[in-house]
Amino acid sequence: MEFSGREWDVMNVLWDRGSATVSEVLEALQDELAYTTVLTVLRRLEEKGHVRHEPEGKAHRYVPLVPREEAQDGAVQRLTRKVFSNSPELLMSRLLRKGTLTEAQLRELRSLLEERLKEGGEE
C-alpha cells in the first residue's frame, strides 16, 4: 500500500482519533484546505480499501481499516528499496550520522539492536 503526502496527513488524523468526519479532519490538519479536497482524499482512501465510512447524521464518519504500523512498515520498505539501494544498513547509518537523534533515542535504538542480536538477527 502506498499513500500520497496528503493521504498520510489524513490517515494520521484518523489513526490519532480512531475515526473522524471530514470537518474533524479539516480542523486537525494544519494546512488550509477546502472541505471538498479532504472529502476527495477520504473517498480515494475508501476506494483503495484503506478506510470505510459510517453514516453519522448528515455527515459520514471515516474509520481507518489499515493499522498505522502496517502502513509504516510498507513505507520503510519502499524508502529502503528506492532511496537506499535496498540496504537497511545504509538507512540506519544515515539516521545515526545525521546527528538529530537525542541521547534517549540513541539509547532506545541500542536497546532494540541488542534485543534483535540476542534473537538471532533475522525475522
Side-chain angles (χ1 to χ4, degrees):
M1 97 192 60
E2 285 192 42
F3 295 120
S4 69
R6 186 62 68 205
E7 288 173 340
W8 272 108
D9 294 340
V10 170
M11 288 300 295
N12 277 317
V13 172
L14 296 179
W15 286 319
D16 289 344
R17 293 177 175 232
S19 68
T21 63
V22 175
S23 295
E24 290 168 346
V25 171
L26 262 173
E27 186 180 297
L29 293 174
Q30 301 205 358
D31 300 335
E32 296 270 335
L33 298 172
Y35 181 95
T36 53
T37 301
V38 174
L39 179 59
T40 298
V41 172
L42 284 163
R43 284 182 176 162
R44 189 177 330 126
L45 287 166
E46 189 168 30
E47 287 171 11
K48 293 178 180 181
H50 302 315
V51 304
R52 67 176 165 77
H53 75 270
E54 303 166 346
E56 186 173 283
K58 293 183 180 181
H60 289 137
R61 177 158 299 278
Y62 290 86
V63 178
L65 297 177
V66 176
R68 180 180 281 181
E69 294 79 14
E70 186 179 317
Q72 289 171 335
D73 288 347
V76 169
Q77 288 172 358
R78 274 188 306 286
L79 179 69
T80 302
R81 186 177 63 251
K82 291 184 178 190
V83 179
F84 293 96
S85 303
N86 211 26
S87 172
E89 308 88 60
L90 286 176
L91 172 60
M92 285 296 294
S93 65
R94 185 70 183 144
L95 288 171
L96 293 170
R97 289 188 178 132
K98 182 71 176 147
T100 57
L101 296 171
T102 66
E103 188 173 327
Q105 291 169 324
L106 289 168
R107 288 181 196 280
E108 176 65 19
L109 286 173
R110 177 190 285 166
S111 175
L112 290 170
L113 285 169
E114 288 172 355
E115 187 177 307
R116 283 297 307 269
L117 287 169
K118 286 178 186 174
E119 293 173 358
E122 295 280 332
E123 280 191 38

